[in-house]
Amino acid sequence: MSSTITKPAPHTSPFNVPVLISGAGPTGLFAAILLTKLGHPCRVIERHLEISPLSKALVIHARTMEMFAMTGILDSFTSHGVHLSDIHAYFGGKLTSSLSTPMNH
């Protein structure tokens, strides 16, 4: 996978942006969504040129889901996720802990 590099919006220059967000992970991108919805121009910069195939988070906390719902992106976001019922942690090939979660969806 490769990332797309876009030109700045016509009303901004690459060097005159009120908000600069460092990191195009879930937090940085969500901050950019919120700022844009509020009418604040911003620029997101990311040091990695490739999109990572690995997950950066195991769970979405309740407050995050509330904020996603308030901004209208919760359904789109959760439709791409996987609901987990059990989590197992291993160290040195041995099971060190397990967690069963209720399936409320």
Side-chain angles (χ1 to χ4, degrees), residues 8 10 14-15 23 25 31 34-35 40 42 44 48 53 58 64 67 69 73 90-93 104:
F15 305 106
L34 292 176
L35 287 165
H40 299 286
C42 62
V44 179
H48 300 289
L58 292 176
T64 302
M67 294 183 75
I73 65 168
Y90 291 85
F91 183 76
N104 296 327

Side-chain angles (χ1 to χ4, degrees), residues 9-85:
H11 62 281
T12 63
S13 76
F15 305 106
N16 187 18
V17 180
V19 179
L20 178 65
I21 299 170
S22 177
T27 303
L29 293 177
F30 188 59
I33 289 169
L34 292 176
L35 287 165
T36 301
K37 284 183 175 263
L38 294 170
H40 299 286
C42 62
R43 175 167 307 281
V44 179
I45 57 172
E46 172 60 48
R47 67 179 165 171
H48 300 289
L49 297 177
E50 299 288 323
I51 297 171
S52 173
L54 305 174
S55 174
K56 301 299 181 191
L58 292 176
V59 298
I60 302 173
H61 293 278
R63 181 62 180 144
T64 302
M65 292 179 72
E66 289 172 3
M67 294 183 75
F68 283 3
M70 288 188 306
T71 56
I73 65 168
L74 179 62
D75 291 339
S76 175
F77 196 86
T78 57
S79 70
H80 291 87
V82 176
H83 293 275
L84 298 178
S85 60

